[in-house]
Amino acid sequence: MKKLLTAITLFYFAMLQNSLAQVADDSLLLYNLKNPKKYRIAKINIVGTEFNDKNVISLLSGISEGDEITIPSDKISDIIKNLWKQSVFEDVQILQDKIEGDKIYLTIKVVERPRLSKFAFKGDVKKNEADDIRNKIRLLKERVITDYLVGSIKNTVSDFYVDKGYYHNKVDIELIPDKSAKIPHVILNIKVTKNKKVRIQNVFIHGNTVFKSWQLRNKLEDSKQKRWWNPFNSGKYIADNFEKDLPKITSKYLKKGYRDARVVKDTVYFVSPNRVSIDITIDEGKKYYFGKFNWYGNSKYRNGQLDTILGIQPGDIYDQTKLEQKLYMNPTGYDISSLYMDDGYLFFQLNPQESNIHGDTIDYDIMMFEGKQATINKVTVKGNDKTNDHVIYRQIRTRPGQLFRRSDVIRTVRELSQLGYFDPEKINPVPQPNPADGTVDIEYTVEEKPSDQIELSGGWGGMNNFGQSAGMRTNLGLIGTLGVKFNNFSARNFFKKSAWRPLPSGDGQQLTVRGQTNGVYYQSYNLSFTEPWLGGKKPQSLTVSAFHSLFTNGLSKDNASRSSMSIWGGSIGTGRQLKWPDNYFNLYTSLNYNYYELNKYGAFIFPNGYANDVNLSINFTRNSVDGPIYPKSGSNFAFDVKLTPPYSLFQNKNYATLSSEEKYRFTEYQKYKVTAEWFTQLTNKRAAEGKDARNLVLRTKVGWGFLGYYNSQLGVSPFERFYLGGSGISGFQNFVAREIIGLRGYPDNSLSGQYGSPIVSRYTMELRYPISLNPQATIFVLGFAEAGNAWNTFKSFNPFQVKRSAGIGLRVFLPMFGLLGIDYGWGFDNVPGNPGIGNGKGQFHFTIGGSLGEL
């Protein structure tokens, strides 16, 4: 024990002596506080830094060589604070090296924080979630790891999962030293435990008498009760969504005149670890009605005219939304502001004021400032880095020198959208008024999108009847298609080497090249070119096209059993926009020639010979839809006529005695089609800033087709007949000898005669909802109900005797491939002579393009 006590005593005195020596020689912090003294800094030495520049550290410290410093003083602590607040050091010390007279030598000793080597996710993290989190935390290699950064990452990740309904999520951050690095680095692991989502069990509404509770609960679009029978409603509770939903309840009351209605209390409470219930208490207030409207400041229009436009009578139920629409921006364009702005009054202003509230009635004074009419000064376009200016300017309806009209601006946006070159959601007209001189400059901002398309696909050709006269049928099998469609082509730059990037473009012309084949059985080639503004001054289009198709039974030309059909054809057409009845009308006229050569071909009335088809096609349309890919409003009407010369009326022949080959050597017919299509937006959701509004759209369409003849002895032409059923794009059948009309739920061509039918009708209704309105990948789902039929004689024609079907589908628009679709339809009716189809049986259909057939 004595020896042990002696050793401890000696060790204690040795440590005390060493400590006193350090105070005397090194540390400023234990300097004699009773004798402060001024020194001039002779030299500053910086040690411990690997990443940070020593000159920067010296600058940030606030001292430099040659400065005076009093020791001890607050200056030392200020230096440490200056460096500490940079958040890149774990430790900072100021040490004295030596003192020579009034000179002092200092050392700034730092210990740098470790830097990020890499980071990873652990636990319940999906790949798409990890990508979203990366975009939020934005961690980069070599970033300094601080306590604040770790806490920020933890909070950001936790909030991310809270926004998805995981209120009980747990986030842990692991910092593991990276032993492979020579200088301090760490690997950061973000470990996530989601736990179960918190869902809404019940929503209780209190104080409501005007509306039933379920009606108000339906307004909580993103905060609905979880019910097992509704797979489309997750019932997630997200606080932000609930806060956004609450005002929708009072909005419902406002439309019924309860302008004082308000939510006085809302309570969210847990009823189990993963379930919450919500109590909402409402004070409905009383019901109000509109009273008198008094107009002040109007000189252009009389009070009676304004009352008619307003369309609100004394005694009507008070509706603030309706009043605002009638005064400002009604989607139909029938409002007071539009009335003035469509006549040049850009500076027009109005201010509705409640002049008197007596009982449950509210009178209004509408204070108006008409101003003077504005003339358009300059019109500019910004954002078109591919499309040439003249292509855009010729679609613009607002011209310098004209009076400003809001309807012209809206129409311009539609026309630019219809071009297909720009993102419809990003076309933004910006009027820039100049009140001093009564003019306005208009700038249209556009954003280019890919508009060219490539078609690379395969389809099943099914069975053909090319050898039917010889008792043969051929399975075409897989048909390959390769095609390109350049929607913004420039022919005038074709020979300019610098314009090939990768193709000459920007003039709005359309060039299409397409080929189909499955080898020896089927080949088809198409080429077309369209100039939409022939001459560049008027909307007069010119289209030239040519094609060739060949069908065989696969045997060589020198084989006597070879069966084939060869078609050559071409057309030239011109179209123009009409001013009457209105400028939504278009007229397109084309002259077409098709030459058919048949050899033992059994798909038509005559298997051998040739036929000539010279026809004039007239297409009269009115198209006011608001977009080419996912229209939400507007209509499209079309009347098509195709006429051949009535050869039989000029020739003195007895057609009853002629062979089929001689009868149809110059085929004659008259063909008529009528279609009408409407798009109606059923919901009016408004999107958050930077997002697209997703609204339910109803598409309805009806169509009829008739193929007639001039001479009863000849009857109906074997060409240009209608084939009804299926998807409308049955591979090899896409050629001019027949017209394919789709009717989902039934096999291809199953609802018409063996050689087609001269009469057809189809009625379609689709309910569409967009999944994505991104122009790079527009996706929408649909449910459809449609009906149609084909008839062989006018006597049997009955437009209400139809085959019905219904189903669901998906459409995907990709700029390089166009609109692709898949449908599953159930046919409800039986088909005479074919008991294996219809009768509730379902089948898939694949589509390419925006429409099924031509009806």
Side-chain angles (χ1 to χ4, degrees):
M1 290 297 296
K2 289 182 179 179
K3 291 180 180 179
L4 179 60
L5 289 173
T6 302
I8 292 173
T9 303
L10 291 173
F11 178 77
Y12 171 76
F13 280 108
M15 292 298 296
L16 178 63
Q17 183 178 4
N18 181 67
S19 176
L20 292 173
Q22 184 175 356
V23 168
D25 298 333
D26 295 324
S27 178
L28 295 179
L29 299 176
L30 300 178
Y31 195 85
N32 188 353
L33 301 178
K34 295 183 179 179
N35 300 299
K37 185 176 179 181
K38 286 186 177 181
Y39 294 94
R40 186 170 298 279
I41 300 174
K43 189 175 181 181
I44 300 174
N45 187 31
I46 298 173
V47 297
T49 179
E50 295 287 346
F51 292 100
N52 297 280
D53 187 90
K54 293 183 178 181
N55 294 326
V56 174
I57 294 176
S58 176
L59 181 65
L60 294 173
S61 69
I63 59 172
S64 57
E65 294 177 0
D67 290 351
E68 285 191 348
I69 186 170
T70 300
I71 298 179
S73 69
D74 293 338
K75 186 66 174 177
I76 298 299
S77 61
D78 290 342
I79 297 171
I80 295 175
K81 289 178 181 178
N82 288 341
L83 296 176
W84 189 260
K85 68 182 181 182
Q86 305 306 316
S87 299
V88 295
F89 304 114
E90 285 187 341
D91 188 27
V92 179
Q93 298 181 45
I94 309 298
L95 304 176
Q96 167 191 322
D97 287 340
K98 61 181 179 179
I99 296 176
E100 295 178 351
D102 65 343
K103 296 181 180 179
I104 188 169
Y105 294 80
L106 300 178
T107 294
I108 300 177
K109 183 178 181 181
V110 298
V111 178
E112 293 179 315
R113 292 184 181 273
R115 302 210 168 211
L116 180 66
S117 176
K118 60 183 179 180
F119 72 96
F121 295 96
K122 305 289 184 181
D124 305 332
V125 181
K126 296 179 181 178
K127 183 180 183 303
N128 62 323
E129 294 173 343
D131 293 339
D132 292 339
I133 294 173
R134 285 190 184 94
N135 291 332
K136 289 180 177 292
I137 60 178
R138 297 185 178 278
L139 277 180
L140 299 176
K141 190 176 180 180
E142 301 298 332
R143 185 168 180 178
V144 178
I145 302 300
T146 65
D147 294 338
Y148 174 79
L149 177 63
V150 171
S152 176
I153 294 172
K154 189 172 183 179
N155 292 335
T156 300
V157 176
S158 180
D159 290 343
F160 174 82
Y161 283 104
V162 166
D163 288 343
K164 291 184 173 293
Y166 297 98
Y167 268 76
H168 302 308
N169 74 79
K170 182 181 178 183
V171 180
D172 294 315
I173 305 296
E174 297 177 340
L175 299 176
I176 302 173
D178 187 355
K179 296 181 180 180
S180 63
K182 295 181 180 179
I183 49 181
H185 279 73
V186 295
I187 300 171
L188 189 149
N189 289 330
I190 304 172
K191 186 177 180 181
V192 177
T193 304
K194 293 181 183 177
N195 294 315
K196 291 185 177 181
K197 287 183 178 181
V198 174
R199 303 185 187 274
I200 301 172
Q201 181 164 309
N202 290 297
V203 177
F204 301 106
I205 311 290
H206 306 283
N208 55 308
T209 60
V210 177
F211 298 106
K212 296 183 182 299
S213 294
W214 66 267
Q215 292 177 301
L216 298 178
R217 280 195 293 265
N218 284 344
K219 301 304 293 182
L220 303 175
E221 295 177 356
D222 296 317
S223 305
K224 294 186 180 295
Q225 301 173 144
K226 175 61 179 175
R227 293 295 181 262
W228 64 268
W229 62 80
N230 187 356
F232 301 104
N233 170 33
S234 65
K236 292 185 297 185
Y237 172 71
I238 299 175
D240 289 344
N241 288 350
F242 179 61
E243 291 298 321
K244 294 175 183 176
D245 280 341
L246 275 179
K248 297 174 184 177
I249 292 179
T250 55
S251 296
K252 188 172 182 65
Y253 275 95
L254 288 175
K255 292 182 179 180
K256 292 297 182 180
Y258 293 87
R259 56 175 254 154
D260 297 332
R262 61 194 181 97
V263 175
V264 295
K265 186 173 74 170
D266 63 272
T267 306
V268 181
Y269 53 94
F270 281 91
V271 294
S272 69
N274 300 306
R275 290 290 186 273
V276 297
S277 285
I278 301 174
D279 286 342
I280 300 174
T281 303
I282 298 171
D283 179 8
E284 295 180 328
K286 64 180 182 180
K287 192 172 186 177
Y288 287 86
Y289 300 86
F290 284 115
K292 296 180 180 179
F293 285 88
N294 300 308
W295 304 91
Y296 297 95
N298 55 304
S299 59
K300 174 71 175 178
Y301 299 101
R302 301 188 307 273
N303 291 355
Q305 292 174 291
L306 298 177
D307 287 334
T308 301
I309 299 295
L310 186 66
I312 298 176
Q313 303 297 325
D316 287 354
I317 295 174
Y318 178 85
D319 184 348
Q320 181 68 29
T321 302
K322 180 180 179 181
L323 177 62
E324 290 177 354
Q325 281 192 346
K326 290 293 187 178
L327 291 177
Y328 303 106
M329 295 298 173
N330 191 335
T332 65
Y334 198 67
D335 58 77
I336 302 298
S337 294
S338 297
L339 179 68
Y340 276 90
M341 288 194 175
D342 275 351
D343 199 21
Y345 290 91
L346 176 63
F347 310 108
F348 165 81
Q349 298 177 15
L350 58 81
N351 180 26
Q353 298 177 354
E354 296 180 358
S355 60
N356 187 21
I357 302 177
H358 44 99
D360 59 0
T361 302
I362 304 173
D363 296 334
Y364 272 91
D365 288 343
I366 310 296
M367 316 303 294
M368 303 175 62
F369 171 73
E370 294 180 335
K372 59 182 180 179
Q373 292 174 304
T375 303
I376 299 173
N377 180 35
K378 291 190 300 183
V379 178
T380 56
V381 179
K382 183 175 69 174
N384 56 312
D385 51 9
K386 177 181 178 181
T387 305
N388 294 324
D389 286 346
H390 72 272
V391 175
I392 301 175
Y393 281 119
R394 67 194 185 191
Q395 301 294 336
I396 291 177
R397 301 302 178 97
T398 53
R399 304 296 176 89
Q402 294 179 348
L403 286 178
F404 175 85
R405 291 171 55 91
R406 187 175 76 102
S407 58
D408 288 341
V409 176
I410 296 173
R411 180 66 184 276
T412 297
V413 172
R414 176 195 176 273
E415 295 299 324
L416 294 178
S417 175
Q418 288 290 94
L419 287 175
Y421 311 149
F422 311 111
D423 181 354
E425 307 295 329
K426 301 293 179 61
I427 300 175
N428 182 32
V430 182
Q432 299 170 345
N434 306 306
D437 58 3
T439 63
V440 58
D441 297 333
I442 304 177
E443 180 181 80
Y444 292 94
T445 302
V446 298
E447 183 177 304
E448 299 265 11
K449 71 172 185 178
S451 59
D452 298 330
Q453 298 174 9
I454 182 170
E455 182 183 354
L456 179 60
S457 63
W460 189 258
M463 305 295 294
N464 74 58
N465 297 318
F466 302 155
Q468 189 167 307
S469 62
M472 300 167 53
R473 300 184 78 217
T474 305
N475 190 333
L476 285 181
L478 186 67
I479 295 177
T481 300
L482 176 62
V484 289
K485 185 177 182 180
F486 306 108
N487 290 304
N488 197 1
F489 190 69
S490 176
R492 66 187 177 94
N493 292 323
F494 189 83
F495 297 103
K496 291 183 179 180
K497 185 178 180 180
S498 60
W500 286 77
R501 296 174 305 188
L503 286 169
S505 61
D507 281 344
Q509 298 162 342
Q510 187 179 98
L511 176 65
T512 302
V513 181
R514 188 172 185 263
Q516 279 187 312
T517 185
N518 77 331
V520 295
Y521 297 105
Y522 167 65
Q523 298 176 37
S524 179
Y525 308 96
N526 298 269
L527 173 68
S528 69
F529 174 79
T530 300
E531 167 57 73
W533 281 63
L534 186 62
K537 295 182 179 180
K538 293 182 179 181
Q540 182 91 24
S541 67
L542 175 67
T543 299
V544 180
S545 65
F547 75 94
H548 171 60
S549 295
L550 176 65
F551 308 87
T552 76
N553 59 359
L555 301 179
S556 61
K557 292 183 179 180
D558 56 357
N559 193 310
S561 299
R562 175 183 170 89
S563 171
S564 66
M565 176 179 180
S566 176
I567 311 173
W568 294 86
S571 69
I572 181 170
T574 180
R576 61 190 179 94
Q577 190 176 75
L578 305 178
K579 296 181 179 180
W580 185 89
D582 62 35
N583 54 16
Y584 286 105
F585 281 87
N586 289 273
L587 179 65
Y588 179 79
T589 306
S590 65
L591 183 63
N592 313 289
Y593 174 69
N594 305 310
Y595 175 76
Y596 304 93
E597 186 175 351
L598 299 92
N599 175 40
K600 299 179 183 179
Y601 177 71
F604 289 96
I605 294 175
F606 64 96
N608 295 285
Y610 63 90
N612 297 275
D613 179 4
V614 180
N615 65 78
L616 177 67
S617 176
I618 302 172
N619 179 251
F620 185 64
T621 63
R622 185 188 188 275
N623 186 351
S624 63
V625 298
D626 63 344
I629 306 303
Y630 187 76
K632 306 181 196 65
S633 63
S635 59
N636 188 4
F637 300 94
F639 178 61
D640 294 287
V641 179
K642 186 179 285 189
L643 304 171
T644 65
Y647 303 107
S648 63
L649 300 182
F650 306 137
Q651 297 175 347
N652 188 18
K653 292 183 179 181
N654 185 4
Y655 287 93
T657 62
L658 296 179
S659 65
S660 297
E661 290 85 345
E662 293 176 312
K663 282 183 180 180
Y664 303 115
R665 184 160 296 170
F666 285 91
T667 184
E668 61 178 45
Y669 56 84
Q670 47 183 322
K671 188 175 184 180
Y672 307 91
K673 290 190 298 180
V674 179
T675 59
E677 183 179 32
W678 298 267
F679 294 91
T680 307
Q681 184 171 302
L682 301 180
T683 58
N684 192 29
K685 294 182 180 179
R686 296 184 179 181
E689 186 175 353
K691 295 185 178 181
D692 300 320
R694 299 179 183 180
N695 287 293
L696 204 61
V697 174
L698 177 66
R699 171 183 178 257
T700 52
K701 187 173 185 180
V702 297
W704 299 273
F706 304 93
L707 180 64
Y709 52 82
Y710 300 109
N711 191 323
S712 59
Q713 290 184 357
L714 277 174
V716 178
S717 168
F719 304 105
E720 294 293 332
R721 296 190 180 191
F722 300 103
Y723 291 75
L724 179 66
S727 60
I729 58 160
S730 183
F732 73 99
Q733 295 173 338
N734 186 20
F735 66 96
V736 297
R738 58 179 66 181
E739 184 165 342
I740 310 299
I741 307 297
L743 186 67
R744 293 162 286 187
Y746 299 92
D748 291 341
N749 310 333
S750 61
L751 301 180
S752 51
Q754 178 183 356
Y755 299 115
S757 298
I759 306 171
V760 69
S761 70
R762 194 181 73 165
Y763 315 98
T764 303
M765 180 180 294
E766 287 183 354
L767 198 60
R768 299 176 167 188
Y769 184 78
I771 303 301
S772 168
L773 291 174
N774 188 328
Q776 303 301 320
T778 303
I779 305 171
F780 61 90
V781 294
L782 59 89
F784 68 86
E786 59 187 5
N789 207 349
W791 296 267
N792 291 324
T793 64
F794 284 91
K795 186 176 180 180
S796 62
F797 172 59
N798 183 349
F800 303 106
Q801 183 183 1
V802 292
K803 308 299 182 184
R804 300 161 299 167
S805 67
I808 56 176
L810 172 72
R811 296 290 182 272
V812 178
F813 175 81
L814 301 174
M816 286 298 292
F817 295 95
L819 191 63
L820 311 175
I822 180 173
D823 299 287
Y824 191 84
W826 291 269
F828 297 139
D829 298 298
N830 66 312
V831 179
N834 199 340
I837 64 176
N839 294 314
K841 294 182 175 64
Q843 65 179 64
F844 284 100
H845 300 280
F846 299 92
T847 61
I848 301 175
S851 62
L852 300 173
E854 296 293 331
L855 289 182

